[in-house]
Amino acid sequence: MNSELILLFVLSSLVVLSSCCTVKSSSYTTNDELVIANQVGYITVFTLNCKNQVNSIPLFGEVNGQIFPVFRVKDDQYQFSWTEDKQKSGNREVRLFDEEQFANYRKAQRAGETPSVEPLAAIQVKFSRSYGSNLLISSEFVVLSASLFIAYIAFQNRMKLVSN
């Protein structure tokens, strides 16, 4: 009987947790058009406020089918970061899961099904840059050309000195 009451309490607290949390977030994305790496970095910091005052719950974030851990910065403040290949501008949705939702999500993935787990919350991260679309010449080409030009000038000067 006691184990049934405990199970009922845990299940009801999970239902309350998933339906009574609000998220307030701010985000940052890399914005250097001349970045040499082929990755764009995203960072979002958010606060998770729950009506039942549950703090310090472990969270996981999902973006484009990939799951990453969410790090707790303070009692109700979390940080989530990930990288993607250079992409077009637009919004990225970060879906947040608690431990049980994460376990159900992974279970559906292992079974080969499309995970249909309802997230604890979702955050929209805006990405307003389109890497490489505004550049006529890539930065790698500019660096290679400059180094070849400097090597040519150095070789020419060396040849003049040797011939004298």
Side-chain angles (χ1 to χ4, degrees), residues 63-160:
V63 177
N64 298 330
Q66 295 181 326
I67 293 191
F68 303 98
V70 175
F71 299 99
R72 189 173 59 141
V73 180
K74 295 179 184 174
D75 284 339
D76 62 345
Q77 189 174 22
Y78 296 86
Q79 179 179 340
F80 179 70
S81 60
W82 78 99
T83 59
E84 290 180 354
D85 289 334
K86 294 180 182 177
Q87 300 284 330
K88 299 280 185 204
S89 60
N91 289 339
R92 308 293 188 265
E93 183 180 50
V94 177
R95 297 174 6 139
L96 300 173
F97 299 108
D98 62 9
E99 285 183 308
E100 185 173 337
Q101 292 167 325
F102 171 69
N104 292 336
Y105 186 92
R106 295 296 291 173
K107 185 177 179 182
Q109 276 186 331
R110 283 191 300 272
E113 303 169 0
T114 303
S116 61
V117 178
E118 188 68 27
L120 183 66
I123 301 171
Q124 294 291 323
V125 178
K126 184 178 179 182
F127 179 58
S128 60
R129 294 285 190 140
S130 180
Y131 279 88
S133 64
N134 299 340
L135 300 175
L136 297 175
I137 300 173
S138 69
S139 59
E140 293 89 350
F141 179 74
V142 171
V143 169
L144 178 63
S145 299
S147 63
L148 289 175
F149 179 73
I150 291 170
Y152 174 75
I153 297 297
F155 184 72
Q156 289 296 324
N157 287 334
R158 181 181 175 269
M159 294 305 285
K160 286 180 185 177

Side-chain angles (χ1 to χ4, degrees), residues 17 20-26 44-59 70-80 96 120-121 123:
L17 177 66
C20 297
C21 292
T22 58
V23 176
K24 182 177 178 184
S25 68
S26 62
T44 183
V45 177
F46 60 93
T47 56
L48 183 67
N49 295 320
C50 297
K51 289 183 181 177
N52 57 1
Q53 301 299 321
V54 175
N55 288 332
S56 69
I57 57 173
L59 295 176
V70 175
F71 299 99
R72 189 173 59 141
V73 180
K74 295 179 184 174
D75 284 339
D76 62 345
Q77 189 174 22
Y78 296 86
Q79 179 179 340
F80 179 70
L96 300 173
L120 183 66
I123 301 171

Side-chain angles (χ1 to χ4, degrees), residues 10-25:
V10 169
L11 290 177
S12 65
S13 67
L14 289 174
V15 170
V16 168
L17 177 66
S18 64
S19 62
C20 297
C21 292
T22 58
V23 176
K24 182 177 178 184
S25 68

